[in-house]
Amino acid sequence: MTVNASHPVSPVPPAYDAVVLAGGAARRLGGADKPAVSVGGRALLDRVLTACRGAGRTVVVGGRRATARPVLWTREEPPGGGPLAALAAGVRRTEAEVVLVLSADLPFLGAETVRRLLDALGASGREGALLTDPEGRDQPLAAVYRAEPLRREIALLAAEHGHLSGLPLRLLTQELHLARIDAESSASFDCDTWEDVAAARARIREHGSVLDEWITAVKDELDVELDVDVKALLDLARDAAHGVARPAAPLTTFLVGYAAAQAGDGSAQAVAEAVRKTAALAARWAAETAETAETAETAESAEGAESAEGAEGAESAEGAAGRESGADAG
């Protein structure tokens, strides 16, 4: 089943835990530590952790490493046992009735796609919902599952085969009643090769996305969870640059942020109020500058007119004196 935008969605997504698979040998990357590969200045793993920030608890299956936010760590047994064994290890550490499952190499999977998966799960009433890529292939590591049937099928596979190591994920998903939603090509894009990494790095620097990518990276780096009116801030920076001086733009936006923090909670409302006050000041400054320039221009024009009148008077007097001298000579 494919769930599309015409289906009703739940007004409030269900509470969920997240399992992120960050193991694997990364053979196509020459054995590199794939979760730590940087795209847009952030590790692939950190980019995925940002997408599932709304999880009650987040379990990462793989080797421990520094991450942008706290997570729970676990490993499959034996290490390197494959995605199904890794998923089983992660699910054992979860508590919520819904489990979001992601691989750690999805640089463009964002919170909006996570919301779509959760909405599809609620709208369909099925045992899970997963993305399908533009070629129609299922993406079981970009999916949400109801915890009870997920644990049930994992246990049945372990009992049937005597182990989970090396078993493919399709053995699990083919037993679950799943909804499917079409993914944008970016959401299902994964970094399996260095060519993929290069393509991802180039994509985030495209004109239409570079600003959003940068702001997201900065907020993640500074551990700031705040949605602000970017247009208002950019307008303020422009007005400060044009109405005062170019260096005023970055300094002004810095002071806005500082003022919002000083206000107490540093909320979006506090930022908006600081922007409003500073924008009004910039407008007054610009108006005053224009008024001063207009006054100076008027004074300069008056001075020019006065000088011209004086010169004309002197010229007339000189002419009169000349005529008088001529008359005397005659």
Side-chain angles (χ1 to χ4, degrees), residues 151-299:
R151 290 194 173 95
R152 179 195 70 218
E153 294 303 328
I154 288 174
L156 288 173
L157 286 170
E160 180 181 350
H161 295 272
H163 62 86
L164 295 173
S165 183
L167 297 182
L169 278 170
R170 68 174 179 275
L171 294 180
L172 173 69
T173 55
Q174 70 188 15
E175 298 299 328
L176 293 169
H177 198 41
L178 301 174
R180 289 169 170 81
I181 64 174
D182 298 328
E184 296 178 359
S185 58
S186 59
S188 59
F189 182 91
D190 56 4
C191 291
D192 288 329
T193 67
W194 286 115
E195 288 76 14
D196 294 336
V197 172
R201 288 171 173 171
R203 182 179 294 187
I204 66 169
R205 288 166 172 79
E206 292 174 354
H207 177 71
S209 58
V210 64
L211 182 59
D212 286 342
E213 285 286 348
W214 172 248
I215 295 301
T216 299
V218 171
K219 290 196 295 186
D220 201 44
E221 189 72 15
L222 300 179
D223 194 25
V224 174
E225 295 185 48
L226 182 67
D227 291 324
V228 297
D229 188 338
V230 173
K231 183 179 182 303
L233 281 172
L234 291 177
D235 287 346
L236 172 60
R238 178 202 63 206
D239 293 343
H242 292 173
V244 183
R246 289 183 65 84
L251 292 172
T252 300
T253 51
F254 164 77
L255 290 171
V256 163
Y258 186 81
Q262 290 287 92
D265 58 0
S267 65
Q269 290 77 12
V271 174
E273 178 62 12
V275 168
R276 184 192 66 77
K277 288 182 177 179
T278 312
L281 172 62
R284 295 195 303 272
W285 185 291
E288 183 179 304
T289 301
E291 183 181 329
T292 302
E294 184 179 343
T295 301
E297 185 178 344
T298 301

Side-chain angles (χ1 to χ4, degrees), residues 3-329:
V3 176
N4 55 43
S6 63
H7 284 257
V9 296
S10 54
V12 179
Y16 69 94
D17 288 341
V19 173
V20 180
L21 304 193
R27 294 183 182 86
R28 297 171 68 187
L29 283 173
D33 183 7
K34 181 160 67 169
V37 170
S38 175
V39 173
R42 293 187 293 157
L44 285 171
L45 175 57
D46 283 336
R47 295 179 71 90
V48 173
L49 291 178
T50 298
C52 60
R53 191 185 289 272
R57 61 167 51 188
T58 300
V59 182
V60 179
V61 187
R64 288 176 177 268
R65 67 194 65 232
T67 53
R69 64 183 183 86
V71 299
L72 299 175
W73 293 96
T74 191
R75 290 299 298 267
E76 72 276 21
E77 290 294 338
L84 187 54
L87 176 57
V91 170
R92 282 195 291 271
R93 300 293 303 276
T94 63
E95 297 177 339
E97 295 181 0
V98 172
V99 180
L100 172 71
V101 177
L102 301 173
S103 63
D105 63 350
L106 299 168
F108 302 116
L109 186 138
E112 178 58 32
T113 300
V114 170
R115 173 63 188 257
R116 288 183 64 208
L117 285 167
L118 293 168
D119 286 342
L121 179 68
S124 67
R126 299 198 172 198
E127 294 176 322
L130 52 72
L131 294 185
T132 59
D133 67 19
E135 285 71 44
R137 294 185 295 259
D138 285 351
Q139 303 295 312
L141 297 183
V144 292
Y145 303 95
R146 298 191 190 279
E148 189 280 324
L150 181 62
R151 290 194 173 95
R152 179 195 70 218
E153 294 303 328
I154 288 174
L156 288 173
L157 286 170
E160 180 181 350
H161 295 272
H163 62 86
L164 295 173
S165 183
L167 297 182
L169 278 170
R170 68 174 179 275
L171 294 180
L172 173 69
T173 55
Q174 70 188 15
E175 298 299 328
L176 293 169
H177 198 41
L178 301 174
R180 289 169 170 81
I181 64 174
D182 298 328
E184 296 178 359
S185 58
S186 59
S188 59
F189 182 91
D190 56 4
C191 291
D192 288 329
T193 67
W194 286 115
E195 288 76 14
D196 294 336
V197 172
R201 288 171 173 171
R203 182 179 294 187
I204 66 169
R205 288 166 172 79
E206 292 174 354
H207 177 71
S209 58
V210 64
L211 182 59
D212 286 342
E213 285 286 348
W214 172 248
I215 295 301
T216 299
V218 171
K219 290 196 295 186
D220 201 44
E221 189 72 15
L222 300 179
D223 194 25
V224 174
E225 295 185 48
L226 182 67
D227 291 324
V228 297
D229 188 338
V230 173
K231 183 179 182 303
L233 281 172
L234 291 177
D235 287 346
L236 172 60
R238 178 202 63 206
D239 293 343
H242 292 173
V244 183
R246 289 183 65 84
L251 292 172
T252 300
T253 51
F254 164 77
L255 290 171
V256 163
Y258 186 81
Q262 290 287 92
D265 58 0
S267 65
Q269 290 77 12
V271 174
E273 178 62 12
V275 168
R276 184 192 66 77
K277 288 182 177 179
T278 312
L281 172 62
R284 295 195 303 272
W285 185 291
E288 183 179 304
T289 301
E291 183 181 329
T292 302
E294 184 179 343
T295 301
E297 185 178 344
T298 301
E300 186 178 338
S301 298
E303 184 179 338
E306 185 178 328
S307 298
E309 185 179 336
E312 184 179 341
E315 185 179 335
S316 299
E318 186 179 338
R323 288 192 295 274
E324 185 177 327
S325 298
D328 289 344

